[in-house]
Amino acid sequence: MENEKKISKKRKIFYIVLSSLALILAVLMIFSNTYIDVENITFKSPDIPKNFDGAKIVLLSDYHNQGENFCDRVIKITEEADPDYIFITGDIVDRIRTDTDKADIFLKKVSEIAPCYLVWGNHDKNVPREDFERLKSSAENYGITILDGTTIRLYKGDEFVSLTGNYYYYDYPPCDADFNIWLNHFPENFEPISEQTKKDGNQMDLMFSGHAHGGIIRLPFVGGVIGHNGLFPDYTSGLCEYDNSYMIVSRGLGNSGNVPRVSSTLHIVICELQREE
Ligand SMILES: [Fe+2]
């Protein structure tokens, strides 16, 4: 009788621990998939032209076709940041949720805030051709600059920085500015672009990226767990450095298909450029 009581007490404790863990995980998952973390990053460099000192960039990545309420939250945060430029680093649509009307609303609203520049992500390139063409038309209709193996100059007064955007790391025209900014959906292209531009004699200074979704699961002291090419990817979130090049990675705003995040919150980066004297 005494022994039976002990077993049922142990079983009770086991169920309490198990249900507490399940509850913590559920809360963590709801939080990670709904809360938008806004990270402010100040990027300093002596190569930033004087007229760009204080220029503000909002980085929006991996929108993955969210609904209108979510769109309005993103727009409100972006408006409040009062950016000079908005960089959109791919996966605006989602190859499972291929409703380009949602992406159209997002692109329209975001284009009304500040000049927008975008590069494509793997999901954008993998939706049916007619959906991709619709997405491209939306961006063009709203005056968003599509960078796809393209380098342009951004001017403030008579000073400029270069802005390059590409899908494949090796696909880019020469950059001729003192400060070279890059947009590429894939953070794993950071090192090859840095190395190749260094060989060209005008190394990339700052790249903006997404794709990793923060490593989908994030652990304290470890960072992102799941990468597209294996576990524990190198670059999943925030400011990273490699051989005098820097990259800012957004954990993104949506999920691939139905893969939820755990402890990797949605992420908007507000980057302020500062000229270092
Ligand atoms: Fe994505």
Side-chain angles (χ1 to χ4, degrees), residues 104-142:
D104 181 83
I105 291 167
F106 167 67
L107 292 176
K108 180 179 189 300
K109 289 186 174 178
V110 87
S111 70
E112 288 165 356
I113 301 172
C116 295
Y117 303 86
L118 78 73
V119 287
W120 302 123
N122 49 308
H123 280 260
D124 304 318
K125 293 261 186 181
N126 284 314
V127 293
R129 191 73 210 168
E130 61 272 21
D131 289 333
F132 177 71
E133 289 303 329
R134 253 204 302 275
L135 179 67
K136 203 173 157 194
S137 299
S138 290
E140 285 166 352
N141 287 342
Y142 301 132

Side-chain angles (χ1 to χ4, degrees), residues 24-25 28 32 214-225 232 236 251 262-265:
I24 290 168
L25 187 66
L28 210 57
S32 308
I216 303 171
I217 299 168
R218 288 187 76 79
L219 298 175
F221 311 111
V222 174
V225 174
F232 307 111
T236 56
R251 296 192 300 277
V262 183
S263 165
S264 174
T265 46

Side-chain angles (χ1 to χ4, degrees), residues 247-264:
M247 170 172 65
I248 293 174
V249 187
S250 166
R251 296 192 300 277
L253 292 161
N255 297 332
S256 296
N258 299 315
V259 181
R261 298 155 179 252
V262 183
S263 165
S264 174

Side-chain angles (χ1 to χ4, degrees), residues 45-169:
S45 164
D47 293 330
I48 293 169
K50 263 190 193 139
N51 292 352
F52 283 80
D53 186 32
K56 221 186 271 173
I57 296 155
V58 166
L59 171 60
L60 303 174
S61 198
D62 300 78
Y63 184 69
H64 283 275
N65 255 346
Q66 306 282 316
E68 213 166 335
N69 286 346
F70 183 81
C71 178
D72 289 343
R73 288 173 62 204
V74 172
I75 294 303
K76 189 167 182 278
I77 292 168
T78 309
E79 272 172 350
E80 282 173 5
D82 191 21
D84 295 275
Y85 309 104
I86 298 168
F87 294 164
I88 303 166
T89 49
D91 283 3
I92 301 144
V93 292
D94 186 290
R95 69 169 165 254
I96 294 174
R97 297 183 296 266
T98 57
D99 180 0
T100 50
D101 289 348
K102 289 179 181 172
D104 181 83
I105 291 167
F106 167 67
L107 292 176
K108 180 179 189 300
K109 289 186 174 178
V110 87
S111 70
E112 288 165 356
I113 301 172
C116 295
Y117 303 86
L118 78 73
V119 287
W120 302 123
N122 49 308
H123 280 260
D124 304 318
K125 293 261 186 181
N126 284 314
V127 293
R129 191 73 210 168
E130 61 272 21
D131 289 333
F132 177 71
E133 289 303 329
R134 253 204 302 275
L135 179 67
K136 203 173 157 194
S137 299
S138 290
E140 285 166 352
N141 287 342
Y142 301 132
I144 294 173
T145 305
I146 300 167
L147 301 168
D148 196 4
T150 320
T151 294
I152 59 167
R153 285 176 174 182
L154 299 180
Y155 274 93
K156 272 188 182 287
D158 57 352
E159 292 186 315
F160 66 91
V161 296
S162 79
L163 178 64
T164 302
N166 57 0
Y167 188 78
Y168 302 103
Y169 75 87

Side-chain angles (χ1 to χ4, degrees), residues 198-211:
K198 191 178 180 180
K199 272 188 212 155
D200 297 341
N202 197 2
Q203 194 175 14
M204 166 178 73
D205 292 286
L206 179 61
M207 174 169 147
F208 291 83
S209 192
H211 184 57

